[in-house]
Amino acid sequence: MPFAAGGGVDVFARLLAEELRQKNGLTVVVENRPGANGSIGAHQTLNAEPDGTTLLFSAGTHVMAQQVMKSAPYDPIADFTSIARVGEAPMLLVASPKIAANTIAELIAEARKGQDKWTFGTSALGAPGHLAELDFNRLAGLNLLINPYRGTAPALNDVAGGHIQLLIDPVLALLPLARAKQVKGLAVTTAKRTALAPEIPTMAESGLNGMDHSSWYGVWGPKKLPADLTADLNGAINEAVRTLDGEGKLTKIGVAAVTETPPQFEAFARSYRDRNADLLKAANFQAI
């Protein structure tokens, strides 16, 4: 797990780990290794023996490594084995309670008056939330600073404390503080509202057309993971995802189940990477 504990990716990973334990009698440990834009955690899998005992559970962030890092230490697709994509989730834009705006339209109008005083947080460069923030800037005609954090929780804490103003990340991680009025939940980034928070409008309903971004999650193994072991892991993970979905556990965390074959997952990852590379280029993003 290449992110800090407590975020949406971490919660999903722990649900999946427990389901795999119950179904297969396995001991599945979730080890949080945040930092370096996800590459510290990814390296745990990159350098592991290809025996299926060390896997990477990450978000779309993983496949964008070469687009956001000047010297990416690996090719996130070619140097890993794509095992299973397991879910998608809508994201939420939250704002500091210290700003006056209560709608997206008010937020944009207020930000235009002094853009240098506004900062987006992001859990990692290349994360789905980061890409959505770049797209928000583009569609709103803004150029707000985006500051990377070591995961969702520290970024969210800074929004709640008023140290930064905005954050886009999966609904699951942000909704508790939004409902507690510690941050303002203004709009979701998908074309439809989420059943997890049907009271929160979409960006389009809020006057900002063209945004449709979801977070997604997957499991990767080391390169050269044997095909038969990859297939076995894919089958076990897909079965666990179907069970979690059938029991309503994914709905509770705002995730829509996805079950794919390894080739389907790899094809999706390549398409996602290429599409969002264009977004980064259009935003004049400079890799770090």
Side-chain angles (χ1 to χ4, degrees):
M1 167 59 52
F3 306 112
V9 189
D10 182 69
V11 171
F12 192 1
R14 293 177 187 277
L15 275 177
L16 183 60
E18 177 60 18
E19 190 61 34
L20 288 169
R21 184 192 68 79
Q22 291 184 18
K23 282 187 176 297
N24 300 281
L26 301 171
T27 299
V28 185
V29 177
V30 177
E31 182 180 355
N32 298 90
R33 298 297 294 269
N37 213 57
S39 65
I40 292 176
H43 258 113
Q44 294 289 106
T45 299
L46 179 73
N47 297 323
E49 290 295 321
D51 57 8
T53 60
T54 303
L55 305 175
L56 173 70
F57 188 103
S58 192
T61 314
H62 174 67
V63 303
M64 300 304 297
Q66 290 179 307
Q67 280 68 45
V68 299
M69 301 171 72
K70 286 182 179 179
S71 301
Y74 47 71
D75 182 317
I77 298 177
D79 291 340
F80 292 80
T81 298
S82 299
I83 297 174
R85 189 163 71 102
V86 293
E88 294 182 336
M91 294 184 290
L92 174 65
L93 185 151
V94 295
S96 167
K98 296 186 178 182
I99 70 170
N102 291 303
T103 67
I104 294 296
E106 290 173 357
L107 185 157
I108 293 171
E110 189 175 339
R112 283 176 177 164
K113 296 176 182 178
Q115 297 192 43
D116 58 327
K117 298 178 181 179
W118 289 70
T119 300
F120 264 116
T122 186
S123 59
L125 295 176
H130 174 226
L131 299 172
E133 289 168 0
L134 288 172
D135 212 16
F136 181 92
N137 269 342
R138 178 182 69 88
L139 293 168
L142 297 170
N143 188 29
L144 307 184
L145 177 68
I146 299 176
N147 185 35
Y149 282 75
R150 290 168 62 93
T152 301
L156 182 58
N157 287 338
D158 271 6
V159 175
H163 305 297
I164 60 173
Q165 289 69 46
L166 304 169
L167 172 66
I168 296 178
D169 222 55
V171 170
L172 169 67
L174 308 189
L175 192 57
L177 260 65
R179 287 193 165 149
K181 307 300 183 184
Q182 295 182 50
V183 296
K184 297 180 179 183
L186 299 188
V188 294
T189 61
T190 42
K192 296 181 179 179
R193 296 192 184 199
T194 172
L196 201 62
E199 73 279 10
I200 299 178
T202 66
M203 290 284 184
E205 290 172 330
S206 304
L208 191 67
N209 294 314
M211 282 202 75
D212 190 2
H213 291 265
S214 297
S215 183
W216 61 269
Y217 314 95
V219 181
W220 289 264
K223 189 176 181 179
K224 297 183 179 179
L225 194 68
D228 58 344
L229 183 51
T230 300
D232 287 346
L233 286 166
N234 175 265
I237 291 168
N238 283 348
E239 182 182 1
V241 168
R242 284 190 286 267
T243 299
L244 290 170
D245 188 42
E247 294 175 348
K249 293 180 179 178
L250 296 187
T251 301
K252 289 180 180 178
I253 63 171
V255 171
V258 174
T259 54
E260 295 177 334
T261 65
Q264 287 173 330
F265 177 28
E266 182 172 333
F268 170 87
R270 290 185 183 279
S271 174
Y272 179 88
R273 179 191 61 188
D274 295 345
R275 180 174 69 254
N276 286 297
D278 292 339
L279 174 60
L280 290 167
K281 183 177 180 180
N284 294 316
F285 175 80
Q286 299 297 312
I288 61 170

